[in-house]
């Protein structure tokens, strides 16, 4: 699970590019814009950088980005439905560049959103930051989920169990698994040179999910909204280096 210096250097470049593409995609979010139009923005932004959009063709996934609206937890497939004022949408960008992947996502408001949705988004963003702060060499991976679950539940929210963070590098999804709730089985000890994602999915109500018949789209079982943020990071001697954070 520890990456070579060459892979780490390539991941800094791919991570930065993924962050740029996510920012470009987020800037395209607006009432009336379809998720297919956002998919086209992501596809073009990847190609422009000499990168490949990792989702495209991944286990048969049909598009270049995941667009998860309102009650969609993750892996929503872009389509021709226009986004509406007051909705929230997660854009999950992964690209392949220089032989490695960079994976990052964020939840964006569509126009004006209500206070409850704003709070869900800010608590979820904070959950990711607290997860990153829990990254320390010598500590078990389970520390990350403990930090995230504590903050989510203090705010009355649920933590999705079915989808987890993952090792990433030359492969898109590699060991270890990074649960976002406390899981005593997550005993892998963090070591400098490991690279993985943290990507908490936080729900307004129950954390249980239902899968659509498309085999990808995961929605909350109770139909309430859910948000997610994701970074790819490197374990260092001190803690974590976030590879998908834009400078400034
Ligand atoms: N980017 C997602 C993740 O964070 C995976 C998307 S796989 C896809 O792991 F096929 F749905 F694109
Ligand atoms: Co990921
Ligand atoms: Co992702």
């Amino acid at each position: 699970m520890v990456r070579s210096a060459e892979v780490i250097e390539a991941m800094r470049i791919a991570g930065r590019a993924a962050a740029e593409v996510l920012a470009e995609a987020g800037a395209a979010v607006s009432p009336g814009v379809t998720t297919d139009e956002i998919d086209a923005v992501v596809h073009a932004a990847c190609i422009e950088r000499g990168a490949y959009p990792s989702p495209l063709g991944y286990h048969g996934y049909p598009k270049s980005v995941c667009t998860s609206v309102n009650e969609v937890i993750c892996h929503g497939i872009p389509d021709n439905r226009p986004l509406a004022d007051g909705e929230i949408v997660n854009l999950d960008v992964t690209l392949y560049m220089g032989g490695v992947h960079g994976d990052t996502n964020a939840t964006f408001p569509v126009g004006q959103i209500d206070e409850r949705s704003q709070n869900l988004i800010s608590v979820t963003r904070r959950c990711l930051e607290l997860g990153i702060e829990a990254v320390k060499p010598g500590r078990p991976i389970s520390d990350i989920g403990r930090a995230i679950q504590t903050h989510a539940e203090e705010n009355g929210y649920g933590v999705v169990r079915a989808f987890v963070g993952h090792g990433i590098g030359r492969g898109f999804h590699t060991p270890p698994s990074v649960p976002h709730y406390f899981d005593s089985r997550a005993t892998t000890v963090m070591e400098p040179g490991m690279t993985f994602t943290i990507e908490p999915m936080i729900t307004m109500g129950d954390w249980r999910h239902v899968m659509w018949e498309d085999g990808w789209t995961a929605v909350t079982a109770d139909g309430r909204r859910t948000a997610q943020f994701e970074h790819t990071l490197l374990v260092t001697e001190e803690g974590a280096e976030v590879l998908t954070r834009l400078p400034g």
Side-chain angles (χ1 to χ4, degrees):
M1 289 182 261
V2 171
R3 312 297 179 195
S4 68
E6 290 71 26
V7 164
I8 289 168
E9 199 38 48
M11 287 187 72
R12 289 194 175 99
I13 294 165
R16 166 80 72 97
E20 289 170 1
V21 173
L22 177 61
E24 224 180 280
V29 170
S30 178
V33 171
T34 69
T35 46
D36 272 342
E37 289 168 331
I38 294 169
D39 183 66
V41 167
V42 168
H43 188 92
C46 288
I47 300 308
E48 244 168 57
R49 286 166 176 78
Y52 183 85
S54 309
L56 187 59
Y58 180 75
H59 293 285
Y61 186 81
K63 298 287 172 91
S64 296
V65 64
C66 298
T67 56
S68 301
V69 179
N70 297 336
E71 76 276 17
V72 181
I73 294 170
C74 62
H75 306 161
I77 302 173
D79 62 18
N80 61 8
R81 173 185 172 280
L83 293 168
D85 187 56
E87 294 187 322
I88 61 174
V89 60
N90 178 276
L91 305 181
D92 191 344
V93 169
T94 313
L95 58 72
Y96 183 72
M97 187 179 189
V100 300
H101 297 268
D103 188 7
T104 183
N105 76 47
T107 301
F108 298 90
V110 183
Q112 279 298 115
I113 60 171
D114 63 25
E115 218 171 287
R116 287 156 56 79
S117 297
Q118 276 171 32
N119 190 63
L120 174 68
I121 289 175
S122 56
V123 169
T124 305
R125 188 187 283 111
R126 183 80 187 127
C127 280
L128 173 56
E129 292 307 324
L130 290 168
I132 293 168
E133 284 172 28
V135 172
K136 291 275 181 278
R139 298 291 311 169
I141 291 273
S142 60
D143 276 13
I144 297 167
R146 183 195 278 111
I148 291 168
Q149 184 176 14
T150 300
H151 187 65
E153 290 180 357
E154 274 169 8
N155 284 277
Y157 293 143
V159 178
V160 171
R161 310 288 201 264
F163 304 94
V164 297
H166 50 91
I168 181 168
R170 291 199 182 280
F172 190 170
H173 294 106
T174 72
S177 255
V178 183
H180 304 109
Y181 56 98
F182 176 72
D183 185 341
S184 60
R185 296 166 299 182
T187 54
T188 300
V189 173
M190 292 182 260
E191 273 181 67
M194 287 180 172
T195 51
F196 53 78
T197 72
I198 304 178
E199 48 183 297
M201 286 141 275
I202 304 299
T203 62
M204 278 191 160
D206 189 12
W207 50 263
R208 285 174 187 80
H209 78 283
V210 170
M211 284 298 294
W212 281 8
E213 279 173 17
D214 63 14
W216 287 103
T217 311
V219 299
T220 56
D222 63 10
R224 298 179 76 187
R225 287 186 174 189
T226 170
Q228 182 181 23
F229 286 85
E230 174 176 30
H231 276 307
T232 294
L233 45 101
L234 166 71
V235 181
T236 66
E237 300 290 340
E238 290 77 39
E241 177 183 332
V242 179
L243 303 179
T244 46
R245 186 138 36 216
L246 288 177

